[in-house]
Amino acid sequence: MATLVSKVQATVDFEKNGKQFGYLDVPHSRDDSGWGTLRVPIAVVKNGSGPTILFTGGNHGDEYEGQVALVKLARALDPKDVAGRVIMIPFLNYPAARASRRTSPIDAVNMNRAFPGERRGTVSQLIAHYVSTLILPLCDLVMDFHAGGRTMTYQPFACIHRLEDRPLFDRTKAALLALGAPISLVLQELDAEGMLDTQVESMGKVFVSAELGGAGTTTPTTVGIADRGCRRLLAHLGITRPTAENTPPTRFMDTSGPGCYTISNHGGLFEMLAELGATVKAGDPLAQIHSMERPEEAPIVYRAARDGMLIGRHHPAVIQQGDFMALVAYDA
Ligand SMILES: [Zn+2]
């Protein structure tokens, strides 16, 4: 028997015109289901020739705006209104989304550190490998929705990375601005290896992401940004007709300079002193940490290292040494 490119089998045909709901069937032989399969939902809407866009949600399971927006988009899209192809995977790390976890409860893999995946890996690595080898080559643009998950919250923004390939960066920035989030950001990643982002960019394709809300839930505001962003990106690529509305103003910001990230060097009771979205000056207090072992001690105060907007924060009320605490962005 010839070796298959992937052990994952799609029940949809990516070349077929029309709308299809199906699954990526991932072999998952286990104690309670010897010949079991993990079925990851996927939807494809195609009409004739034109660009291909991949939308993904649930890359981290506990980040839900993309998941909500994409199940709605998949139901709503009419192939008649499409020129090209729209591929939607609302729950990329499906077991993690079901369990409201960042990582998979099956193999403990963080999907967004698993790319390009492994052909003979665990279920998460198999999904990443299938996407890398069989879906990404079809795509012109990938939009991957994130949020803060259960441990972070954000002032909602869409984001891209600084790229050495200038023409690719210019196309990526144009897509980011077309998405029309309230804030558009150049994000400096703490650990970019193994991310879907890095894989798509290494293939010379446009990659846009977003960090919308957090705390493991959604709000009308954050889902609305995802809903409208999907529509605007489709129109930007010419897959759907331009919408009547003008793209709303966006605030273009950056986090790639020094002093944007604050990482906690203490554990204890976490008290935020600045609101998300607040303008801060270098030296302003961001948060303080109270000792839970020695409450008589003065709290440790963490201060902004630069001027900007507080755009991300640690969410739980208890913090540990090494946790991400705060992200300050500045106007680009
Ligand atoms: Zn995420």
Side-chain angles (χ1 to χ4, degrees):
M1 191 173 119
T3 305
L4 298 169
V5 174
S6 170
K7 301 207 290 182
V8 176
Q9 300 282 320
T11 66
V12 292
D13 178 352
F14 293 103
E15 302 305 327
K16 190 173 157 189
N17 284 326
K19 172 146 70 173
Q20 304 167 75
F21 282 95
Y23 299 96
L24 301 179
D25 280 343
V26 185
H28 184 33
S29 174
R30 57 198 193 269
D31 286 335
D32 64 346
S33 184
W35 288 3
T37 296
L38 176 71
R39 311 202 87 182
V40 179
I42 184 169
V44 183
V45 176
K46 181 175 181 294
N47 186 19
S49 58
T52 295
I53 186 168
L54 169 65
F55 286 113
T56 49
N59 185 339
H60 291 130
D62 59 353
E63 303 173 6
Y64 287 100
E65 283 82 359
Q67 302 181 39
V68 173
L70 294 181
V71 295
K72 292 194 294 184
L73 181 70
R75 290 196 300 263
L77 266 184
D78 185 333
K80 285 201 309 294
D81 301 328
V82 165
R85 181 166 46 191
V86 186
I87 304 171
M88 291 153 281
I89 308 177
F91 323 106
L92 188 63
N93 194 336
Y94 183 67
R98 293 294 300 260
S100 198
R101 286 172 48 139
R102 181 174 182 83
T103 60
S104 174
I106 296 175
D107 55 20
V109 167
N110 177 343
M111 182 69 81
N112 216 25
R113 300 293 182 275
F115 282 85
E118 291 180 34
R119 206 194 75 85
R120 293 192 59 187
T122 63
V123 290
S124 303
Q125 293 164 336
L126 290 177
I127 295 166
H129 179 263
Y130 184 89
V131 170
S132 297
T133 55
L134 288 162
I135 297 183
L136 295 187
L138 307 174
C139 299
D140 299 287
L141 190 153
V142 176
M143 172 75 223
D144 185 34
F145 285 102
H146 287 256
R150 290 194 295 180
T151 65
M152 297 175 285
T153 44
Y154 292 107
Q155 184 72 14
F157 61 86
C159 53
I160 59 174
H161 304 118
R162 200 163 289 293
L163 303 172
E164 284 177 20
D165 180 339
R166 187 72 210 194
L168 180 62
F169 180 76
D170 290 344
R171 284 190 288 136
T172 301
K173 186 177 172 184
L176 172 74
L177 297 178
L179 190 148
I183 296 170
S184 300
L185 189 75
V186 177
L187 186 65
Q188 179 67 39
E189 301 287 351
L190 292 172
D191 174 22
E193 192 170 334
M195 294 174 70
L196 171 59
D197 321 36
T198 309
Q199 179 63 25
V200 175
E201 289 161 358
S202 75
M203 296 168 77
K205 296 164 185 292
V206 175
F207 182 88
V208 181
S209 186
E211 295 287 356
L212 306 171
T217 188
T218 66
T219 71
T221 298
T222 56
V223 173
I225 294 167
D227 285 338
R228 292 187 294 276
C230 289
R231 295 289 182 177
R232 292 190 191 119
L233 271 182
L234 289 171
H236 173 71
L237 282 181
I239 293 176
T240 55
R241 273 186 287 281
T243 51
E245 57 147 20
N246 293 320
T247 302
T250 185
R251 186 166 171 182
F252 192 55
M253 305 187 86
D254 203 331
T255 63
S256 53
C260 291
Y261 281 91
T262 302
I263 306 296
S264 182
N265 195 35
H266 301 84
L269 188 60
F270 180 61
E271 180 188 4
M272 206 69 204
L273 298 175
E275 296 284 354
L276 268 182
T279 299
V280 295
K281 295 270 178 214
D284 283 354
L286 291 175
Q288 58 186 2
I289 300 174
H290 305 272
S291 171
M292 297 173 86
E293 295 85 9
R294 293 169 299 280
E296 68 277 16
E297 290 182 358
I300 310 290
V301 178
Y302 280 75
R303 297 178 185 279
R306 64 180 304 150
D307 296 357
M309 177 197 281
L310 179 65
I311 202 166
R313 57 161 284 187
H314 177 79
H315 179 68
V318 173
I319 197 164
Q320 300 177 60
Q321 184 186 47
D323 283 353
F324 162 77
M325 180 189 293
L327 177 61
V328 170
Y330 54 93
D331 286 308

